[in-house]
Amino acid sequence: RSMAAGGTTVHARWKFKKGATKCRQKGNVKGKGLGVKIKHNQFVKPGESIYLQRGLKRLPGLGAGVARNQSIYAMQAGIVRYTKLEKGRKFGRVQITVEDATESHPKMIEYKKRLDAITEKLEKRRIALEKRRVRKSIVSEHSKTMCIHLKKMAYDSATRAGSVGLRKTWL
C-alpha cells in the first residue's frame, strides 16, 4: 500500500505475485549411512568403522575407540563383539569390543601376510633411498675435488701466460 497525495490509500500491484507454495525439490534425499557397519563375530582391521552413530547409543569397549562424530572404530585387529550392559532391560546399552583374533584365524593370517608384504616393500624402498643418498654424496665429493683440480689447472695456465695480476680464479 502507498499513500496518495490526498491521504487516501491506493493499492499498488507488484509485477509478479509471490507464490505461497512449498519447495518440492527435497523429496529424494540420501540417507546418512548410520548404523552397523561390521556385525558380531566378524573380523576387523585397525581403523575400520564398526558402528556409525549420532550421540553415544553404543559404547566402545576394549580395542574400540570413539571418533569425533561419536562413531565407533577398531583400534586393533580382531573380532567384533556386541554385549548388552543392562541385562534386564529390553532396550539397554550395548558395548562394542574388539577381541584379539587367534593367530590361526584365516582372516588374521591374511592380514599378517599383507602387513609383512607392506613392511618388506617399505624396507626395500628405505634401502634404495639410502644407497641413492650414499651414491649422491660420493658424486658430490668427486665433483668438488674435480672442480678444485680444474681451477688449479686454470690458475697454473694463467700464471704461465703472465696474466696473474689481472684475475685470480681459484679457491
Side-chain angles (χ1 to χ4, degrees):
R1 291 182 185 171
S2 65
M3 296 292 282
T8 59
T9 59
V10 178
H11 292 284
R13 284 185 86 181
W14 296 98
K15 191 174 179 182
F16 299 106
K17 285 187 177 179
K18 286 189 176 181
T21 60
K22 293 180 182 177
C23 180
R24 292 191 183 102
Q25 296 176 355
K26 295 181 182 177
N28 294 333
V29 179
K30 254 187 176 179
K32 301 280 190 245
L34 303 176
V36 177
K37 300 299 165 196
I38 295 174
K39 296 177 183 171
H40 185 69
N41 286 338
Q42 281 189 327
F43 183 79
V44 69
K45 294 180 226 166
E48 276 190 83
S49 293
I50 300 170
Y51 193 90
L52 298 183
Q53 61 188 351
R54 298 290 176 261
L56 284 174
K57 294 177 183 176
R58 307 283 189 265
L59 299 173
L62 293 172
V66 180
R68 275 192 277 173
N69 62 351
Q70 287 96 29
S71 55
I72 296 174
Y73 64 95
M75 294 175 70
Q76 64 185 26
I79 297 171
V80 176
R81 304 275 190 227
Y82 289 85
T83 53
K84 220 172 194 181
L85 292 178
E86 299 158 358
K87 299 283 185 192
R89 298 184 62 174
K90 188 174 182 182
F91 298 108
R93 291 278 184 132
V94 175
Q95 187 176 36
I96 301 172
T97 58
V98 179
E99 295 177 358
D100 285 332
T102 59
E103 298 296 323
S104 61
H105 192 277
K107 294 270 187 170
M108 192 66 166
I109 293 169
E110 180 185 328
Y111 177 67
K112 293 275 186 184
K113 280 182 185 176
R114 283 188 184 169
L115 273 181
D116 291 341
I118 289 169
T119 52
E120 188 176 320
K121 190 183 278 187
L122 286 174
E123 186 64 27
K124 283 181 182 177
R125 192 177 294 164
R126 188 189 64 77
I127 290 169
L129 283 171
E130 190 65 35
K131 283 181 181 177
R132 207 175 301 147
R133 198 175 294 128
V134 167
R135 216 177 293 134
K136 206 174 197 179
S137 67
I138 290 171
V139 168
S140 65
E141 286 295 320
H142 180 68
S143 63
K144 283 179 187 175
T145 55
M146 286 298 293
C147 186
I148 290 170
H149 183 66
L150 288 173
K151 283 183 178 180
K152 282 184 181 178
M153 284 176 54
Y155 179 74
D156 291 342
S157 65
T159 54
R160 283 190 208 118
S163 60
V164 177
L166 297 175
R167 202 164 162 212
K168 291 185 179 180
T169 57
W170 74 285
L171 300 176

